[in-house]
Amino acid sequence: MTTSSKKDYWIIGSLLFLSLIPAIAGIIRFHQVMTGNGYTIENQRFFNDPIPVLTHIFSVVFFSILGAFQFAPGFRKKHIIWHKISGRFLVLVGVVSALSGLWLTLVYPKVPTDGNWLFGIRLVVGIWMFICIFVGFIFILKRNISKHSHWMIRGYAIGMGAGTQVFTHLPWFIIVGGDPSGVPRDLMMGAGWFINFVFAEWIIRKKNS
């Protein structure tokens, strides 16, 4: 196995692993809503108005899985036609993911465990993800591959925040136990997106060096 192949396997494998838990959680939520099982006071908003959350789940799952293959350089060069075709679909589901996430934030009733900060954080994250994907799409139309790559990395990193949030919540689950609420939950949720934001900027600067 060449060094390039090893790098591709590492990138694809890591991103798919990061996608795994949110994807499983989304599939479980999808099954609950479709079958009517698992109804509680906390998640009744999903059953009362299922279309937005089902749209969000569908778009996020495809965005995270397809994106894992977009950023492996060797795989991308070897499958350039696939990269272009799937990339168009990735832009579509990425935009749908960002907009549906904003819809969930603005329209759905506030979750009791959410603190006051999380509403604003989610708005910033959703808007930023939409901007990143839109700008990345504009740059590919202008054939500016480098800038396109940078902005799509940013958009994908933010979209993968749910995967990183599994790890930012892990110390709480181990040490405190139970589900966090209020400010601790807000900080752990925000930390997932912030870590991905910083990592994306580090990757971009590393590519430019």
Side-chain angles (χ1 to χ4, degrees):
M1 184 181 296
T2 65
T3 302
S4 177
S5 298
K6 290 180 180 179
K7 182 179 179 181
D8 282 355
Y9 277 114
W10 186 87
I11 292 173
I12 295 171
S14 298
L15 294 179
L16 288 177
F17 175 76
L18 200 61
S19 306
L20 183 62
I21 294 178
I24 293 173
I27 292 169
I28 292 172
R29 179 73 70 194
F30 183 89
H31 180 264
Q32 288 176 337
V33 172
M34 295 302 294
T35 60
N37 295 324
Y39 181 94
T40 65
I41 297 299
E42 286 75 17
N43 65 21
Q44 64 178 340
R45 63 196 186 281
F46 301 138
F47 294 89
N48 295 341
D49 187 13
I51 298 301
V53 70
L54 295 180
T55 301
H56 189 64
I57 291 170
F58 174 84
S59 58
V60 167
V61 169
F62 277 94
F63 184 73
S64 60
I65 293 174
L66 275 180
F69 296 88
Q70 296 294 100
F71 300 104
F75 183 89
R76 184 173 61 243
K77 291 177 182 177
K78 188 177 180 180
H79 305 280
I80 189 65
I81 301 300
W82 182 91
H83 172 77
K84 291 179 179 179
I85 294 173
S86 63
R88 294 185 180 96
F89 185 66
L90 190 70
V91 167
L92 174 61
V93 294
V95 167
V96 171
S97 174
L99 295 180
S100 60
L102 288 170
W103 176 275
L104 298 180
T105 301
L106 292 168
V107 177
Y108 273 11
K110 182 177 177 290
V111 180
T113 54
D114 288 354
N116 295 326
W117 296 356
L118 193 51
F119 178 84
I121 293 172
R122 282 176 168 150
L123 286 183
V124 171
V125 165
I127 293 170
W128 177 244
M129 181 177 173
F130 174 80
I131 290 173
C132 290
I133 295 172
F134 180 77
V135 173
F137 179 68
I138 295 300
F139 274 120
I140 198 60
L141 292 180
K142 294 181 177 181
R143 299 294 188 270
N144 190 328
I145 306 300
S146 178
K147 292 292 184 182
H148 163 73
S149 174
H150 294 169
W151 283 97
M152 292 306 293
I153 288 172
R154 292 182 175 112
Y156 185 75
I158 291 298
M160 294 291 286
T164 308
Q165 284 160 1
V166 173
F167 298 98
T168 59
H169 280 71
L170 196 57
W172 177 278
F173 294 142
I174 294 173
I175 298 171
V176 180
D179 293 328
S181 61
V183 174
R185 172 172 162 80
D186 294 1
L187 293 176
M188 284 180 275
M189 293 288 286
W193 284 307
F194 182 72
I195 289 169
N196 284 15
F197 170 80
V198 172
F199 185 73
E201 295 304 316
W202 177 77
I203 290 291
I204 291 168
R205 280 154 181 74
K206 186 178 179 181
K207 286 166 64 74
N208 288 337
S209 61

